[in-house]
Protein backbone atom coordinates (compact mmCIF):
# COMPACT_ATOMS: atom_id res chain seq x y z
CA UNK A 1 0.00 0.00 0.00
CA UNK A 2 1.29 3.42 -0.94
CA UNK A 3 1.46 6.30 1.52
CA UNK A 4 0.89 9.46 -0.49
CA UNK A 5 3.00 12.39 0.72
CA UNK A 6 1.41 15.84 0.56
CA UNK A 7 3.97 18.62 1.10
CA UNK A 8 2.12 21.56 2.61
CA UNK A 9 2.12 25.24 1.71
CA UNK A 10 0.21 27.40 4.17
CA UNK A 11 -0.30 30.92 2.86
CA UNK A 12 -0.78 34.11 4.82
CA UNK A 13 -0.24 37.58 3.47
CA UNK A 14 1.25 36.09 0.32
CA UNK A 15 3.96 34.29 2.31
CA UNK A 16 4.61 30.62 3.04
CA UNK A 17 4.12 30.21 6.78
CA UNK A 18 3.52 27.66 9.51
CA UNK A 19 1.45 28.26 12.61
CA UNK A 20 1.96 26.55 15.95
CA UNK A 21 -1.23 24.65 16.85
CA UNK A 22 -3.22 26.94 14.58
CA UNK A 23 -2.32 30.07 16.54
CA UNK A 24 -2.17 33.06 14.18
CA UNK A 25 0.06 34.85 16.69
CA UNK A 26 2.65 32.05 16.51
CA UNK A 27 3.68 32.27 12.89
CA UNK A 28 6.96 31.42 11.22
CA UNK A 29 7.60 32.66 7.68
CA UNK A 30 9.50 30.21 5.46
CA UNK A 31 9.30 31.97 2.11
CA UNK A 32 7.75 34.86 0.23
CA UNK A 33 6.59 32.93 -2.86
CA UNK A 34 4.06 30.09 -2.60
CA UNK A 35 4.59 29.34 -6.29
CA UNK A 36 8.36 28.98 -5.93
CA UNK A 37 7.81 26.63 -2.99
CA UNK A 38 5.32 24.58 -4.98
CA UNK A 39 7.70 24.42 -7.92
CA UNK A 40 10.51 23.17 -5.67
CA UNK A 41 8.26 20.42 -4.30
CA UNK A 42 7.20 19.43 -7.82
CA UNK A 43 10.82 19.30 -8.97
CA UNK A 44 11.62 16.99 -6.05
CA UNK A 45 8.98 14.55 -7.24
CA UNK A 46 5.77 15.47 -5.41
CA UNK A 47 2.65 14.10 -7.03
CA UNK A 48 0.40 16.24 -4.82
CA UNK A 49 0.75 19.62 -3.13
CA UNK A 50 -1.50 20.59 -0.23
CA UNK A 51 -2.20 24.33 -0.09
CA UNK A 52 -4.08 26.24 2.61
CA UNK A 53 -5.31 29.83 2.44
CA UNK A 54 -4.96 30.79 6.10
CA UNK A 55 -6.24 34.31 5.46
CA UNK A 56 -9.23 32.81 3.71
CA UNK A 57 -9.90 30.37 6.54
CA UNK A 58 -9.94 33.21 9.04
CA UNK A 59 -11.93 35.71 6.96
CA UNK A 60 -14.28 33.28 5.21
CA UNK A 61 -13.39 34.22 1.64
CA UNK A 62 -10.76 33.47 -1.00
CA UNK A 63 -7.66 35.63 -0.54
CA UNK A 64 -4.55 33.75 -1.69
CA UNK A 65 -6.24 31.91 -4.55
CA UNK A 66 -4.01 33.38 -7.28
CA UNK A 67 -1.01 31.46 -5.95
CA UNK A 68 -2.97 28.21 -5.94
CA UNK A 69 -4.19 28.63 -9.50
CA UNK A 70 -0.71 29.55 -10.71
CA UNK A 71 0.69 26.35 -9.23
CA UNK A 72 -2.08 24.21 -10.68
CA UNK A 73 -1.71 25.68 -14.16
CA UNK A 74 2.07 25.92 -14.37
CA UNK A 75 3.22 22.74 -12.64
CA UNK A 76 2.75 19.08 -13.48
CA UNK A 77 1.37 18.21 -10.07
CA UNK A 78 -2.01 17.68 -8.44
CA UNK A 79 -3.07 20.51 -6.12
CA UNK A 80 -5.62 20.39 -3.34
CA UNK A 81 -6.73 23.59 -1.62
CA UNK A 82 -8.48 24.45 1.60
CA UNK A 83 -9.29 27.66 3.45
CA UNK A 84 -12.01 30.22 2.79
CA UNK A 85 -14.21 27.93 0.73
CA UNK A 86 -17.77 28.74 1.68
CA UNK A 87 -19.85 28.43 -1.50
CA UNK A 88 -20.30 26.46 -4.71
CA UNK A 89 -18.88 29.49 -6.51
CA UNK A 90 -15.66 29.06 -4.51
CA UNK A 91 -15.51 25.36 -5.41
CA UNK A 92 -16.06 26.02 -9.11
CA UNK A 93 -13.52 28.86 -9.08
CA UNK A 94 -10.85 26.35 -8.17
CA UNK A 95 -12.02 23.33 -10.14
CA UNK A 96 -12.41 25.35 -13.34
CA UNK A 97 -8.87 26.67 -12.91
CA UNK A 98 -7.11 23.33 -12.72
CA UNK A 99 -7.20 22.45 -9.03
CA UNK A 100 -7.67 18.70 -8.56
CA UNK A 101 -9.44 18.66 -5.20
CA UNK A 102 -11.16 21.25 -3.04
CA UNK A 103 -11.25 20.87 0.73
CA UNK A 104 -14.35 21.92 2.64
CA UNK A 105 -13.99 22.36 6.36
CA UNK A 106 -15.84 25.01 8.36
CA UNK A 107 -18.84 24.98 6.01
CA UNK A 108 -19.18 21.23 6.55
CA UNK A 109 -19.93 21.93 10.20
CA UNK A 110 -22.04 25.06 9.85
CA UNK A 111 -23.99 23.82 6.81
CA UNK A 112 -23.71 20.02 6.47
CA UNK A 113 -26.60 19.90 3.99
CA UNK A 114 -24.63 22.11 1.62
CA UNK A 115 -21.52 19.98 2.09
CA UNK A 116 -23.46 16.80 1.30
CA UNK A 117 -24.92 18.40 -1.82
CA UNK A 118 -21.41 19.34 -3.00
CA UNK A 119 -20.12 15.83 -2.29
CA UNK A 120 -22.93 14.32 -4.31
CA UNK A 121 -22.42 16.78 -7.19
CA UNK A 122 -18.62 16.85 -7.46
CA UNK A 123 -17.70 13.43 -6.06
CA UNK A 124 -14.02 12.74 -5.47
CA UNK A 125 -13.12 16.36 -6.26
CA UNK A 126 -14.39 17.26 -2.79
CA UNK A 127 -12.29 16.45 0.27
CA UNK A 128 -13.72 16.86 3.75
CA UNK A 129 -11.22 18.48 6.11
CA UNK A 130 -11.89 17.69 9.74
CA UNK A 131 -9.79 19.58 12.27
CA UNK A 132 -10.21 18.52 15.88
CA UNK A 133 -9.37 19.69 19.37
CA UNK A 134 -9.76 16.91 21.93
CA UNK A 135 -11.92 14.97 19.51
CA UNK A 136 -14.28 17.86 18.69
CA UNK A 137 -14.38 19.69 15.38
CA UNK A 138 -12.78 23.15 15.21
CA UNK A 139 -13.75 25.67 12.54
CA UNK A 140 -13.00 29.12 11.09
CA UNK A 141 -9.23 28.86 11.07
CA UNK A 142 -9.38 26.81 14.30
CA UNK A 143 -10.65 29.83 16.20
CA UNK A 144 -13.91 28.13 17.18
CA UNK A 145 -14.49 24.67 18.66
CA UNK A 146 -17.88 23.08 17.96
CA UNK A 147 -19.85 20.49 19.91
CA UNK A 148 -19.60 18.02 17.04
CA UNK A 149 -17.40 14.95 17.42
CA UNK A 150 -14.94 14.43 14.59
CA UNK A 151 -15.77 10.75 14.11
CA UNK A 152 -19.51 11.42 14.01
CA UNK A 153 -19.11 14.11 11.37
CA UNK A 154 -16.83 11.96 9.24
CA UNK A 155 -19.27 9.06 9.35
CA UNK A 156 -22.12 11.29 8.18
CA UNK A 157 -20.16 12.51 5.16
CA UNK A 158 -18.82 9.06 4.34
CA UNK A 159 -22.39 7.79 4.24
CA UNK A 160 -23.19 10.67 1.86
CA UNK A 161 -20.43 9.59 -0.52
CA UNK A 162 -17.26 11.41 0.55
CA UNK A 163 -14.21 9.34 -0.42
CA UNK A 164 -11.36 11.34 1.12
CA UNK A 165 -10.90 13.00 4.50
CA UNK A 166 -8.10 15.04 6.00
CA UNK A 167 -7.84 14.69 9.76
CA UNK A 168 -5.84 17.35 11.60
CA UNK A 169 -5.13 17.02 15.29
CA UNK A 170 -4.66 20.64 16.27
CA UNK A 171 -2.79 19.67 19.44
CA UNK A 172 0.03 18.24 17.34
CA UNK A 173 -0.02 20.60 14.34
CA UNK A 174 3.23 22.48 13.92
CA UNK A 175 4.72 20.90 17.04
CA UNK A 176 6.90 18.20 15.44
CA UNK A 177 5.69 15.94 18.26
CA UNK A 178 4.45 13.04 16.14
CA UNK A 179 1.07 12.46 14.48
CA UNK A 180 -2.04 11.22 16.28
CA UNK A 181 -2.01 7.87 14.51
CA UNK A 182 -4.73 6.29 16.63
CA UNK A 183 -7.21 9.07 15.82
CA UNK A 184 -6.45 8.81 12.09
CA UNK A 185 -6.91 5.05 12.15
CA UNK A 186 -10.14 5.39 14.13
CA UNK A 187 -11.59 7.73 11.52
CA UNK A 188 -10.49 5.41 8.71
CA UNK A 189 -12.15 2.48 10.48
CA UNK A 190 -15.39 4.38 11.14
CA UNK A 191 -15.69 5.74 7.60
CA UNK A 192 -14.10 2.96 5.56
CA UNK A 193 -12.59 5.73 3.41
CA UNK A 194 -9.20 7.30 2.74
CA UNK A 195 -8.03 9.45 5.66
CA UNK A 196 -5.00 11.69 5.24
CA UNK A 197 -3.06 12.42 8.42
CA UNK A 198 -2.19 16.04 9.13
CA UNK A 199 -0.24 17.49 12.03
CA UNK A 200 2.81 16.51 14.02
CA UNK A 201 4.92 14.61 11.48
CA UNK A 202 8.50 15.19 12.63
CA UNK A 203 10.61 12.37 11.23
CA UNK A 204 10.90 9.61 8.69
CA UNK A 205 10.05 7.27 11.56
CA UNK A 206 6.66 8.97 11.88
CA UNK A 207 6.02 8.34 8.19
CA UNK A 208 7.09 4.71 8.52
CA UNK A 209 4.70 4.33 11.47
CA UNK A 210 1.80 5.78 9.48
CA UNK A 211 2.65 3.54 6.54
CA UNK A 212 2.82 0.47 8.80
CA UNK A 213 -0.68 1.21 10.11
CA UNK A 214 -2.09 1.39 6.59
CA UNK A 215 -2.65 5.16 6.57
CA UNK A 216 -2.99 6.23 2.95
CA UNK A 217 -1.75 9.81 3.08
CA UNK A 218 0.29 12.23 5.18
CA UNK A 219 0.54 16.00 4.99
CA UNK A 220 4.04 17.19 5.84
CA UNK A 221 4.89 20.80 6.52
CA UNK A 222 7.17 22.04 9.26
CA UNK A 223 9.43 18.98 9.19
CA UNK A 224 10.31 19.75 5.57
CA UNK A 225 10.82 23.46 6.23
CA UNK A 226 12.98 22.72 9.27
CA UNK A 227 14.96 20.20 7.17
CA UNK A 228 14.24 17.24 9.44
CA UNK A 229 14.22 15.21 6.22
CA UNK A 230 13.89 15.87 2.52
CA UNK A 231 10.84 15.37 0.35
CA UNK A 232 12.80 12.84 -1.71
CA UNK A 233 13.49 10.80 1.46
CA UNK A 234 9.80 10.94 2.37
CA UNK A 235 8.75 9.84 -1.11
CA UNK A 236 11.15 6.89 -0.93
CA UNK A 237 9.36 5.65 2.20
CA UNK A 238 5.99 6.15 0.57
CA UNK A 239 6.88 3.88 -2.29
CA UNK A 240 7.21 6.77 -4.74
CA UNK A 241 10.58 8.09 -5.83
CA UNK A 242 11.73 10.29 -8.67
Amino acid sequence: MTLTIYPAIDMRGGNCVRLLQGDYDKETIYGDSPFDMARAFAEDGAQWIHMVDLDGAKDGKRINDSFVIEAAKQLKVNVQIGGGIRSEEDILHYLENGITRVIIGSIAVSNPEFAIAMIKKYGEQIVVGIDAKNGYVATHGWLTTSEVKAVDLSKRFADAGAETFIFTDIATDGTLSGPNISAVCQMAEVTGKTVIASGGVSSLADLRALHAEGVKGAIVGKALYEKRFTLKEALAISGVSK
Side-chain angles (χ1 to χ4, degrees):
M1 183 181 295
T2 299
L3 172 72
T4 302
I5 303 297
Y6 297 81
I9 300 175
D10 291 359
M11 301 167 292
R12 188 180 184 203
N15 294 318
C16 303
V17 307
R18 299 299 293 174
L19 306 182
L20 179 63
Q21 295 177 321
D23 189 336
Y24 283 72
D25 293 326
K26 297 177 180 178
E27 172 191 88
T28 302
I29 297 175
Y30 288 100
D32 59 5
S33 173
F35 176 75
D36 287 348
M37 191 71 72
R39 182 171 56 191
F41 287 145
E43 289 175 349
D44 280 346
Q47 295 183 334
W48 284 89
I49 294 177
H50 173 81
M51 303 184 79
V52 179
D53 183 352
L54 291 174
D55 294 309
K58 189 174 183 180
D59 295 345
K61 60 183 179 180
R62 303 187 309 267
I63 294 178
N64 292 289
D65 52 319
S66 62
F67 304 113
V68 185
I69 292 169
E70 184 181 14
K73 289 187 172 182
Q74 299 295 326
L75 304 174
K76 293 182 179 179
V77 65
N78 294 299
V79 175
Q80 63 183 22
I81 174 65
I85 297 161
R86 300 288 190 271
S87 67
E88 185 171 6
E89 179 186 356
D90 293 331
I91 292 170
L92 283 172
H93 174 71
Y94 284 121
L95 294 181
E96 291 175 349
N97 281 287
I99 281 71
T100 307
R101 295 196 304 218
V102 175
I103 304 160
I104 54 174
S106 297
I107 193 70
V109 180
S110 62
N111 191 348
E113 292 78 14
F114 167 79
I116 288 171
M118 294 301 96
I119 290 166
K120 292 184 180 299
K121 186 169 183 177
Y122 297 103
E124 294 186 4
Q125 293 175 295
I126 300 295
V127 176
V128 180
I130 297 183
D131 308 328
K133 283 184 179 179
N134 300 316
Y136 288 87
V137 176
T139 63
H140 300 90
W142 299 350
L143 300 176
T144 304
T145 303
S146 72
E147 297 180 356
V148 180
K149 287 187 176 181
V151 290
D152 293 342
L153 187 67
S154 64
K155 180 66 165 60
R156 179 175 183 183
F157 292 130
D159 290 345
E163 293 293 333
T164 305
F165 294 84
I166 295 172
F167 175 77
T168 303
D169 179 15
I170 296 171
T172 65
D173 190 74
T175 65
L176 297 174
S177 61
N180 189 339
I181 298 176
S182 62
V184 175
C185 291
Q186 180 187 22
M187 185 171 290
E189 182 178 355
V190 167
T191 61
K193 305 295 184 179
T194 295
V195 179
I196 300 168
S198 175
V201 171
S202 65
S203 66
L204 294 175
D206 288 336
L207 294 178
R208 292 189 186 99
L210 288 165
H211 196 191
E213 290 295 329
V215 177
K216 295 181 180 179
I219 292 170
V220 185
K222 190 172 184 178
L224 290 175
Y225 294 111
E226 296 286 340
K227 303 187 187 306
R228 297 293 185 95
F229 52 83
T230 68
L231 179 57
K232 289 182 179 180
E233 289 173 328
L235 292 172
I237 285 178
S238 75
V240 177
S241 59
K242 189 175 180 181

